[in-house]
Amino acid sequence: MYQLEPDRYYPGLSMAGIGRFLQFEVLGASPKVRACVWISDTLAADGRNLLPPMAVVGMERSPYPIGPRGSARWCSGPIHPRRVSGRDFIALDFGRPGRLFKTRRHGLMQLFGKDIIIDSRRLTAFARDISLVDEDEYRRFKAPTSISKFEDLRNYDLEYAGIYEDLWFSDSAFVVLKSRKTDKVFNFAGVVPNIGNPNFSTRLTISIGKTKRTFPLKVGEFLVTVPVRSGETTQRVSFSFDSYQHLPFGDDRPVTLKLHYLGFSENPGESVQ
């Protein structure tokens, strides 16, 4: 893990570049724990922004079923810390070697010294938070019912993946939300941008439990609704798309749409601004 640096998306927070392996000694560990990580590959500047295929390792290996791009916060399945010489340890394997951070060169930097490495760190991603929680603490997580602004991703009780910090969606994503007893639908609203191809289209598939719905999306604003069973429960909502675009002006992130609102509600379109 490299030194802390200011978070570019969340003023007041810090982040740190990480390599492939991290090992932690666990003090006063419960018999079973979960490793919760908040990581991002949004700043990779490589046109892919792929999250690492990571796993936590104790007495067993528990992979993280996270989405392919952008940022994610997810807790592992329960694991037993590995005991070595009377001390407890866990490790994180980020599943790929670290790579040089791509640096864009401007002005005279494009004429001279292009073979000089500006940032010598070999990174797999950036980490904002790595925490260990026991089962009681994990059960006390209060998942939100909706997401509508980028600050919502700062909620430490929210588990998600495949969404960039500024609410652009990648081609695969999920969120874990809590529905209320009176909720009957899931609303999803946003905009598919015109960034060079006015004829762009994609097929969106939303999965909630055993319910699956597919919607064709074209350039412009949209609102889609999926019926859900009423009941107060925590549910994983998954999104997949069959095509994506790259953001212009040197950003180059693969995106499908910009989120305006997603969440459970009593009526179609309700709470969507």
Short mmCIF file of all heavy atoms in Angstrom, two decimals, residues 74-132:
data_model
loop_
_atom_site.label_atom_id
_atom_site.label_comp_id
_atom_site.label_asym_id
_atom_site.label_seq_id
_atom_site.Cartn_x
_atom_site.Cartn_y
_atom_site.Cartn_z
N TRP A 74 -17.91 -3.57 -1.05
CA TRP A 74 -18.50 -4.89 -0.90
C TRP A 74 -17.84 -5.61 0.27
O TRP A 74 -16.65 -5.46 0.50
CB TRP A 74 -18.31 -5.71 -2.18
CG TRP A 74 -18.97 -7.05 -2.18
CD1 TRP A 74 -18.37 -8.28 -2.16
CD2 TRP A 74 -20.37 -7.32 -2.19
NE1 TRP A 74 -19.30 -9.28 -2.16
CE2 TRP A 74 -20.54 -8.72 -2.18
CE3 TRP A 74 -21.51 -6.51 -2.21
CZ2 TRP A 74 -21.80 -9.33 -2.18
CZ3 TRP A 74 -22.76 -7.12 -2.21
CH2 TRP A 74 -22.90 -8.50 -2.21
N CYS A 75 -18.63 -6.37 0.99
CA CYS A 75 -18.13 -7.17 2.11
C CYS A 75 -18.04 -8.63 1.69
O CYS A 75 -18.94 -9.15 1.03
CB CYS A 75 -19.02 -7.03 3.33
SG CYS A 75 -19.05 -5.36 4.03
N SER A 76 -16.98 -9.28 2.10
CA SER A 76 -16.78 -10.69 1.75
C SER A 76 -17.77 -11.56 2.49
O SER A 76 -18.48 -11.12 3.40
CB SER A 76 -15.35 -11.11 2.12
OG SER A 76 -15.22 -11.18 3.53
N GLY A 77 -17.80 -12.83 2.12
CA GLY A 77 -18.50 -13.80 2.93
C GLY A 77 -17.76 -14.02 4.24
O GLY A 77 -16.60 -13.60 4.39
N PRO A 78 -18.39 -14.66 5.22
CA PRO A 78 -17.71 -14.88 6.51
C PRO A 78 -16.52 -15.82 6.36
O PRO A 78 -16.59 -16.84 5.68
CB PRO A 78 -18.81 -15.50 7.38
CG PRO A 78 -19.81 -16.06 6.41
CD PRO A 78 -19.77 -15.19 5.21
N ILE A 79 -15.41 -15.44 6.99
CA ILE A 79 -14.20 -16.26 6.96
C ILE A 79 -13.62 -16.37 8.36
O ILE A 79 -13.95 -15.58 9.26
CB ILE A 79 -13.13 -15.67 6.02
CG1 ILE A 79 -12.67 -14.29 6.53
CG2 ILE A 79 -13.62 -15.57 4.59
CD1 ILE A 79 -11.40 -13.80 5.87
N HIS A 80 -12.77 -17.37 8.56
CA HIS A 80 -12.04 -17.54 9.81
C HIS A 80 -10.62 -17.00 9.61
O HIS A 80 -9.93 -17.43 8.68
CB HIS A 80 -11.97 -19.01 10.21
CG HIS A 80 -13.31 -19.65 10.41
ND1 HIS A 80 -14.06 -20.14 9.35
CD2 HIS A 80 -14.03 -19.88 11.54
CE1 HIS A 80 -15.19 -20.65 9.82
NE2 HIS A 80 -15.20 -20.51 11.14
N PRO A 81 -10.16 -16.07 10.43
CA PRO A 81 -8.76 -15.62 10.32
C PRO A 81 -7.80 -16.81 10.48
O PRO A 81 -8.09 -17.77 11.18
CB PRO A 81 -8.61 -14.62 11.47
CG PRO A 81 -10.01 -14.14 11.74
CD PRO A 81 -10.89 -15.32 11.48
N ARG A 82 -6.67 -16.72 9.79
CA ARG A 82 -5.66 -17.78 9.88
C ARG A 82 -4.76 -17.51 11.08
O ARG A 82 -4.21 -16.42 11.23
CB ARG A 82 -4.83 -17.83 8.59
CG ARG A 82 -3.76 -18.93 8.60
CD ARG A 82 -3.06 -18.99 7.27
NE ARG A 82 -3.96 -19.44 6.21
CZ ARG A 82 -4.19 -20.72 5.92
NH1 ARG A 82 -3.59 -21.67 6.61
NH2 ARG A 82 -5.01 -21.04 4.93
N ARG A 83 -4.62 -18.52 11.93
CA ARG A 83 -3.82 -18.38 13.15
C ARG A 83 -2.40 -18.87 12.89
O ARG A 83 -2.19 -20.01 12.45
CB ARG A 83 -4.46 -19.15 14.30
CG ARG A 83 -3.94 -18.73 15.66
CD ARG A 83 -4.93 -19.10 16.75
NE ARG A 83 -4.55 -18.60 18.06
CZ ARG A 83 -4.74 -17.37 18.49
NH1 ARG A 83 -5.33 -16.50 17.71
NH2 ARG A 83 -4.37 -16.99 19.70
N VAL A 84 -1.43 -18.01 13.15
CA VAL A 84 -0.02 -18.33 12.94
C VAL A 84 0.75 -17.93 14.20
O VAL A 84 0.76 -16.75 14.58
CB VAL A 84 0.56 -17.59 11.71
CG1 VAL A 84 2.03 -17.93 11.54
CG2 VAL A 84 -0.23 -17.92 10.46
N SER A 85 1.35 -18.91 14.87
CA SER A 85 2.14 -18.66 16.09
C SER A 85 1.34 -17.87 17.12
O SER A 85 1.85 -16.92 17.73
CB SER A 85 3.45 -17.93 15.74
OG SER A 85 4.23 -18.69 14.84
N GLY A 86 0.07 -18.23 17.28
CA GLY A 86 -0.77 -17.60 18.28
C GLY A 86 -1.32 -16.24 17.89
O GLY A 86 -1.92 -15.56 18.72
N ARG A 87 -1.14 -15.83 16.65
CA ARG A 87 -1.65 -14.53 16.18
C ARG A 87 -2.53 -14.75 14.96
O ARG A 87 -2.31 -15.68 14.17
CB ARG A 87 -0.48 -13.60 15.85
CG ARG A 87 0.43 -13.35 17.05
CD ARG A 87 1.79 -12.84 16.65
NE ARG A 87 1.75 -11.47 16.17
CZ ARG A 87 2.83 -10.80 15.76
NH1 ARG A 87 4.02 -11.40 15.76
NH2 ARG A 87 2.72 -9.55 15.34
N ASP A 88 -3.54 -13.88 14.80
CA ASP A 88 -4.53 -14.04 13.73
C ASP A 88 -4.23 -13.09 12.57
O ASP A 88 -3.92 -11.91 12.78
CB ASP A 88 -5.94 -13.76 14.26
CG ASP A 88 -6.39 -14.79 15.28
OD1 ASP A 88 -6.13 -15.98 15.05
OD2 ASP A 88 -6.98 -14.40 16.31
N PHE A 89 -4.39 -13.61 11.34
CA PHE A 89 -4.10 -12.83 10.14
C PHE A 89 -5.17 -13.07 9.08
O PHE A 89 -5.79 -14.14 9.01
CB PHE A 89 -2.73 -13.21 9.55
CG PHE A 89 -1.57 -12.90 10.43
CD1 PHE A 89 -1.13 -13.82 11.37
CD2 PHE A 89 -0.91 -11.68 10.33
CE1 PHE A 89 -0.05 -13.54 12.19
CE2 PHE A 89 0.17 -11.39 11.15
CZ PHE A 89 0.61 -12.32 12.08
N ILE A 90 -5.37 -12.06 8.23
CA ILE A 90 -6.08 -12.23 6.98
C ILE A 90 -5.25 -11.55 5.89
O ILE A 90 -4.38 -10.71 6.19
CB ILE A 90 -7.50 -11.62 6.98
CG1 ILE A 90 -7.44 -10.10 7.11
CG2 ILE A 90 -8.36 -12.23 8.07
CD1 ILE A 90 -8.72 -9.40 6.70
N ALA A 91 -5.51 -11.91 4.64
CA ALA A 91 -4.81 -11.29 3.51
C ALA A 91 -5.82 -10.96 2.43
O ALA A 91 -6.88 -11.58 2.33
CB ALA A 91 -3.74 -12.22 2.96
N LEU A 92 -5.50 -9.95 1.64
CA LEU A 92 -6.30 -9.59 0.47
C LEU A 92 -5.45 -9.83 -0.77
O LEU A 92 -4.32 -9.35 -0.86
CB LEU A 92 -6.74 -8.13 0.54
CG LEU A 92 -7.76 -7.77 1.62
CD1 LEU A 92 -7.97 -6.26 1.67
CD2 LEU A 92 -9.09 -8.47 1.38
N ASP A 93 -6.01 -10.57 -1.71
CA ASP A 93 -5.35 -10.82 -2.99
C ASP A 93 -6.18 -10.12 -4.06
O ASP A 93 -7.33 -10.48 -4.30
CB ASP A 93 -5.28 -12.32 -3.26
CG ASP A 93 -4.66 -12.65 -4.62
OD1 ASP A 93 -4.23 -11.71 -5.33
OD2 ASP A 93 -4.64 -13.85 -4.98
N PHE A 94 -5.60 -9.10 -4.70
CA PHE A 94 -6.34 -8.32 -5.69
C PHE A 94 -6.29 -8.94 -7.08
O PHE A 94 -6.77 -8.34 -8.04
CB PHE A 94 -5.85 -6.87 -5.69
CG PHE A 94 -6.30 -6.12 -4.47
CD1 PHE A 94 -5.54 -6.13 -3.31
CD2 PHE A 94 -7.51 -5.45 -4.46
CE1 PHE A 94 -5.96 -5.47 -2.17
CE2 PHE A 94 -7.94 -4.78 -3.33
CZ PHE A 94 -7.17 -4.79 -2.18
N GLY A 95 -5.72 -10.12 -7.20
CA GLY A 95 -5.94 -10.96 -8.37
C GLY A 95 -5.19 -10.62 -9.64
O GLY A 95 -5.37 -11.29 -10.66
N ARG A 96 -4.34 -9.60 -9.61
CA ARG A 96 -3.57 -9.27 -10.81
C ARG A 96 -2.34 -8.47 -10.39
O ARG A 96 -2.37 -7.79 -9.35
CB ARG A 96 -4.40 -8.46 -11.81
CG ARG A 96 -4.78 -7.06 -11.34
CD ARG A 96 -5.75 -6.39 -12.29
NE ARG A 96 -6.06 -5.02 -11.87
CZ ARG A 96 -7.14 -4.35 -12.25
NH1 ARG A 96 -8.02 -4.92 -13.05
NH2 ARG A 96 -7.34 -3.11 -11.84
N PRO A 97 -1.28 -8.51 -11.17
CA PRO A 97 -0.10 -7.71 -10.83
C PRO A 97 -0.40 -6.22 -10.93
O PRO A 97 -1.25 -5.78 -11.72
CB PRO A 97 0.93 -8.13 -11.89
CG PRO A 97 0.41 -9.40 -12.47
CD PRO A 97 -1.08 -9.34 -12.37
N GLY A 98 0.29 -5.44 -10.12
CA GLY A 98 0.17 -3.99 -10.24
C GLY A 98 0.72 -3.52 -11.57
O GLY A 98 1.62 -4.13 -12.15
N ARG A 99 0.17 -2.42 -12.08
CA ARG A 99 0.63 -1.88 -13.36
C ARG A 99 0.92 -0.39 -13.19
O ARG A 99 0.37 0.27 -12.31
CB ARG A 99 -0.41 -2.10 -14.44
CG ARG A 99 -1.74 -1.42 -14.18
CD ARG A 99 -2.83 -2.00 -15.08
NE ARG A 99 -4.07 -1.24 -15.03
CZ ARG A 99 -4.97 -1.33 -14.06
NH1 ARG A 99 -4.74 -2.13 -13.04
NH2 ARG A 99 -6.08 -0.63 -14.11
N LEU A 100 1.78 0.11 -14.05
CA LEU A 100 2.13 1.52 -13.99
C LEU A 100 0.91 2.38 -14.25
O LEU A 100 0.10 2.09 -15.14
CB LEU A 100 3.23 1.85 -15.01
CG LEU A 100 4.62 1.28 -14.71
CD1 LEU A 100 5.55 1.55 -15.89
CD2 LEU A 100 5.19 1.88 -13.44
N PHE A 101 0.78 3.43 -13.47
CA PHE A 101 -0.33 4.35 -13.62
C PHE A 101 -0.11 5.20 -14.87
O PHE A 101 0.95 5.81 -15.04
CB PHE A 101 -0.41 5.24 -12.38
CG PHE A 101 -1.67 6.05 -12.28
CD1 PHE A 101 -2.89 5.44 -12.07
CD2 PHE A 101 -1.63 7.43 -12.38
CE1 PHE A 101 -4.05 6.18 -11.96
CE2 PHE A 101 -2.79 8.18 -12.28
CZ PHE A 101 -4.00 7.55 -12.07
N LYS A 102 -1.09 5.20 -15.76
CA LYS A 102 -0.95 5.94 -17.01
C LYS A 102 -1.02 7.44 -16.74
O LYS A 102 -1.98 7.93 -16.14
CB LYS A 102 -2.04 5.53 -17.99
CG LYS A 102 -1.89 6.14 -19.37
CD LYS A 102 -2.93 5.60 -20.33
CE LYS A 102 -2.77 6.20 -21.71
NZ LYS A 102 -3.80 5.68 -22.65
N THR A 103 -0.02 8.16 -17.19
CA THR A 103 0.04 9.61 -16.98
C THR A 103 -0.10 10.31 -18.32
O THR A 103 0.64 10.02 -19.27
CB THR A 103 1.38 10.02 -16.33
OG1 THR A 103 1.53 9.31 -15.10
CG2 THR A 103 1.40 11.51 -16.06
N ARG A 104 -1.05 11.22 -18.41
CA ARG A 104 -1.22 11.99 -19.64
C ARG A 104 -0.21 13.13 -19.67
O ARG A 104 -0.02 13.85 -18.69
CB ARG A 104 -2.64 12.54 -19.73
CG ARG A 104 -3.70 11.46 -19.92
CD ARG A 104 -5.04 12.08 -20.31
NE ARG A 104 -6.04 11.06 -20.56
CZ ARG A 104 -6.91 10.63 -19.66
NH1 ARG A 104 -6.90 11.15 -18.46
NH2 ARG A 104 -7.79 9.70 -19.97
N ARG A 105 0.44 13.30 -20.80
CA ARG A 105 1.44 14.35 -20.96
C ARG A 105 0.85 15.49 -21.79
O ARG A 105 0.18 15.25 -22.79
CB ARG A 105 2.69 13.79 -21.62
CG ARG A 105 3.34 12.66 -20.80
CD ARG A 105 4.46 11.98 -21.57
NE ARG A 105 4.95 10.82 -20.87
CZ ARG A 105 6.03 10.81 -20.08
NH1 ARG A 105 6.72 11.92 -19.92
NH2 ARG A 105 6.41 9.71 -19.47
N HIS A 106 1.14 16.71 -21.38
CA HIS A 106 0.60 17.88 -22.05
C HIS A 106 1.73 18.83 -22.44
O HIS A 106 2.80 18.84 -21.82
CB HIS A 106 -0.40 18.60 -21.14
CG HIS A 106 -1.51 17.72 -20.63
ND1 HIS A 106 -2.62 17.41 -21.37
CD2 HIS A 106 -1.66 17.07 -19.44
CE1 HIS A 106 -3.41 16.62 -20.68
NE2 HIS A 106 -2.85 16.39 -19.50
N GLY A 107 1.48 19.64 -23.47
CA GLY A 107 2.43 20.67 -23.85
C GLY A 107 3.79 20.11 -24.22
O GLY A 107 3.91 19.12 -24.95
N LEU A 108 4.85 20.73 -23.68
CA LEU A 108 6.22 20.31 -23.99
C LEU A 108 6.53 18.90 -23.49
O LEU A 108 7.49 18.28 -23.97
CB LEU A 108 7.21 21.31 -23.38
CG LEU A 108 7.19 22.72 -23.98
CD1 LEU A 108 8.17 23.62 -23.25
CD2 LEU A 108 7.52 22.68 -25.48
N MET A 109 5.73 18.39 -22.56
CA MET A 109 5.96 17.04 -22.06
C MET A 109 5.78 16.01 -23.17
O MET A 109 6.28 14.89 -23.06
CB MET A 109 5.00 16.73 -20.91
CG MET A 109 5.23 17.57 -19.66
SD MET A 109 3.99 17.25 -18.38
CE MET A 109 4.42 15.56 -17.95
N GLN A 110 5.08 16.38 -24.24
CA GLN A 110 4.88 15.45 -25.34
C GLN A 110 6.06 15.45 -26.32
O GLN A 110 6.11 14.62 -27.23
CB GLN A 110 3.59 15.82 -26.09
CG GLN A 110 2.34 15.77 -25.22
CD GLN A 110 1.09 16.09 -26.00
OE1 GLN A 110 0.69 15.37 -26.90
NE2 GLN A 110 0.46 17.21 -25.66
N LEU A 111 7.00 16.38 -26.13
CA LEU A 111 8.14 16.48 -27.05
C LEU A 111 9.40 15.86 -26.49
O LEU A 111 10.21 15.31 -27.24
CB LEU A 111 8.39 17.96 -27.38
CG LEU A 111 7.25 18.72 -28.07
CD1 LEU A 111 7.65 20.17 -28.28
CD2 LEU A 111 6.89 18.05 -29.39
N PHE A 112 9.61 15.96 -25.18
CA PHE A 112 10.87 15.52 -24.59
C PHE A 112 10.62 14.58 -23.41
O PHE A 112 9.63 14.71 -22.69
CB PHE A 112 11.69 16.73 -24.11
CG PHE A 112 11.92 17.77 -25.17
CD1 PHE A 112 11.14 18.92 -25.20
CD2 PHE A 112 12.89 17.59 -26.15
CE1 PHE A 112 11.34 19.88 -26.18
CE2 PHE A 112 13.09 18.54 -27.12
CZ PHE A 112 12.32 19.69 -27.15
N GLY A 113 11.53 13.65 -23.23
CA GLY A 113 11.52 12.79 -22.04
C GLY A 113 10.32 11.88 -21.95
O GLY A 113 9.91 11.52 -20.84
N LYS A 114 9.78 11.46 -23.09
CA LYS A 114 8.60 10.61 -23.05
C LYS A 114 8.91 9.21 -22.52
O LYS A 114 8.01 8.46 -22.18
CB LYS A 114 7.96 10.52 -24.44
CG LYS A 114 7.33 11.83 -24.89
CD LYS A 114 6.47 11.65 -26.12
CE LYS A 114 7.31 11.32 -27.34
NZ LYS A 114 6.46 11.24 -28.57
N ASP A 115 10.20 8.86 -22.47
CA ASP A 115 10.59 7.56 -21.94
C ASP A 115 10.78 7.57 -20.43
O ASP A 115 11.05 6.54 -19.81
CB ASP A 115 11.87 7.07 -22.61
CG ASP A 115 13.02 8.05 -22.41
OD1 ASP A 115 12.75 9.27 -22.27
OD2 ASP A 115 14.19 7.61 -22.38
N ILE A 116 10.65 8.75 -19.81
CA ILE A 116 10.83 8.87 -18.36
C ILE A 116 9.52 8.56 -17.66
O ILE A 116 8.47 9.14 -17.98
CB ILE A 116 11.32 10.29 -17.99
CG1 ILE A 116 12.69 10.55 -18.63
CG2 ILE A 116 11.39 10.45 -16.48
CD1 ILE A 116 13.18 11.96 -18.42
N ILE A 117 9.56 7.65 -16.70
CA ILE A 117 8.37 7.27 -15.94
C ILE A 117 8.09 8.34 -14.89
O ILE A 117 8.94 8.61 -14.03
CB ILE A 117 8.55 5.90 -15.28
CG1 ILE A 117 8.75 4.83 -16.36
CG2 ILE A 117 7.36 5.56 -14.40
CD1 ILE A 117 9.08 3.46 -15.80
N ILE A 118 6.94 8.97 -14.96
CA ILE A 118 6.59 10.04 -14.02
C ILE A 118 6.11 9.47 -12.70
O ILE A 118 6.45 9.95 -11.62
CB ILE A 118 5.53 10.96 -14.64
CG1 ILE A 118 6.10 11.64 -15.90
CG2 ILE A 118 5.06 12.02 -13.64
CD1 ILE A 118 5.10 12.49 -16.64
N ASP A 119 5.29 8.43 -12.75
CA ASP A 119 4.75 7.79 -11.54
C ASP A 119 5.18 6.33 -11.56
O ASP A 119 4.71 5.55 -12.39
CB ASP A 119 3.22 7.91 -11.52
CG ASP A 119 2.61 7.47 -10.20
OD1 ASP A 119 3.26 6.70 -9.47
OD2 ASP A 119 1.48 7.89 -9.90
N SER A 120 6.09 5.95 -10.68
CA SER A 120 6.67 4.61 -10.71
C SER A 120 5.86 3.58 -9.92
O SER A 120 6.25 2.41 -9.85
CB SER A 120 8.10 4.65 -10.16
OG SER A 120 8.10 5.10 -8.81
N ARG A 121 4.76 3.99 -9.32
CA ARG A 121 3.95 3.04 -8.56
C ARG A 121 3.32 2.00 -9.49
O ARG A 121 2.90 2.33 -10.60
CB ARG A 121 2.83 3.76 -7.79
CG ARG A 121 3.31 4.70 -6.72
CD ARG A 121 2.14 5.42 -6.07
NE ARG A 121 1.42 6.26 -7.02
CZ ARG A 121 0.29 6.91 -6.75
NH1 ARG A 121 -0.26 6.79 -5.55
NH2 ARG A 121 -0.30 7.66 -7.67
N ARG A 122 3.24 0.77 -9.02
CA ARG A 122 2.54 -0.28 -9.76
C ARG A 122 1.26 -0.60 -8.99
O ARG A 122 1.31 -1.18 -7.91
CB ARG A 122 3.43 -1.51 -9.94
CG ARG A 122 4.64 -1.20 -10.83
CD ARG A 122 5.45 -2.43 -11.17
NE ARG A 122 6.56 -2.09 -12.06
CZ ARG A 122 6.48 -2.04 -13.38
NH1 ARG A 122 5.32 -2.33 -13.98
NH2 ARG A 122 7.53 -1.72 -14.11
N LEU A 123 0.13 -0.22 -9.57
CA LEU A 123 -1.14 -0.21 -8.85
C LEU A 123 -2.12 -1.22 -9.42
O LEU A 123 -2.16 -1.46 -10.63
CB LEU A 123 -1.78 1.18 -8.92
CG LEU A 123 -0.92 2.37 -8.47
CD1 LEU A 123 -1.68 3.67 -8.69
CD2 LEU A 123 -0.54 2.22 -7.01
N THR A 124 -2.92 -1.80 -8.54
CA THR A 124 -4.08 -2.58 -8.98
C THR A 124 -5.35 -1.75 -8.88
O THR A 124 -6.30 -1.96 -9.64
CB THR A 124 -4.25 -3.84 -8.12
OG1 THR A 124 -4.33 -3.47 -6.74
CG2 THR A 124 -3.07 -4.78 -8.32
N ALA A 125 -5.40 -0.80 -7.94
CA ALA A 125 -6.58 0.05 -7.74
C ALA A 125 -6.23 1.07 -6.66
O ALA A 125 -5.11 1.10 -6.14
CB ALA A 125 -7.80 -0.78 -7.33
N PHE A 126 -7.21 1.92 -6.33
CA PHE A 126 -7.11 2.82 -5.18
C PHE A 126 -8.09 2.34 -4.12
O PHE A 126 -9.22 1.96 -4.44
CB PHE A 126 -7.43 4.26 -5.57
CG PHE A 126 -6.35 4.93 -6.35
CD1 PHE A 126 -6.37 4.94 -7.73
CD2 PHE A 126 -5.29 5.56 -5.70
CE1 PHE A 126 -5.37 5.56 -8.46
CE2 PHE A 126 -4.29 6.18 -6.42
CZ PHE A 126 -4.32 6.18 -7.80
N ALA A 127 -7.67 2.37 -2.87
CA ALA A 127 -8.53 1.95 -1.76
C ALA A 127 -8.89 3.16 -0.90
O ALA A 127 -8.02 3.96 -0.55
CB ALA A 127 -7.83 0.91 -0.90
N ARG A 128 -10.18 3.28 -0.59
CA ARG A 128 -10.65 4.33 0.32
C ARG A 128 -10.84 3.79 1.73
O ARG A 128 -10.67 4.52 2.71
CB ARG A 128 -11.97 4.90 -0.19
CG ARG A 128 -11.86 5.68 -1.48
CD ARG A 128 -13.15 6.41 -1.81
NE ARG A 128 -12.94 7.31 -2.93
CZ ARG A 128 -13.19 7.00 -4.20
NH1 ARG A 128 -13.68 5.81 -4.49
NH2 ARG A 128 -12.95 7.86 -5.16
N ASP A 129 -11.23 2.53 1.82
CA ASP A 129 -11.48 1.97 3.15
C ASP A 129 -11.35 0.45 3.08
O ASP A 129 -11.84 -0.18 2.13
CB ASP A 129 -12.88 2.34 3.64
CG ASP A 129 -13.15 1.84 5.05
OD1 ASP A 129 -12.68 2.48 6.00
OD2 ASP A 129 -13.82 0.80 5.20
N ILE A 130 -10.69 -0.13 4.07
CA ILE A 130 -10.63 -1.57 4.25
C ILE A 130 -10.92 -1.83 5.72
O ILE A 130 -10.17 -1.38 6.59
CB ILE A 130 -9.26 -2.16 3.86
CG1 ILE A 130 -8.95 -1.87 2.39
CG2 ILE A 130 -9.22 -3.66 4.13
CD1 ILE A 130 -7.55 -2.28 1.96
N SER A 131 -12.02 -2.51 6.01
CA SER A 131 -12.46 -2.71 7.39
C SER A 131 -12.82 -4.16 7.62
O SER A 131 -13.24 -4.86 6.69
CB SER A 131 -13.67 -1.83 7.72
OG SER A 131 -13.40 -0.47 7.53
N LEU A 132 -12.68 -4.59 8.86
CA LEU A 132 -13.08 -5.93 9.26
C LEU A 132 -14.27 -5.80 10.21
O LEU A 132 -14.22 -5.04 11.18
CB LEU A 132 -11.92 -6.64 9.97
CG LEU A 132 -11.85 -8.16 9.87
CD1 LEU A 132 -11.68 -8.59 8.43
CD2 LEU A 132 -10.70 -8.69 10.71
#
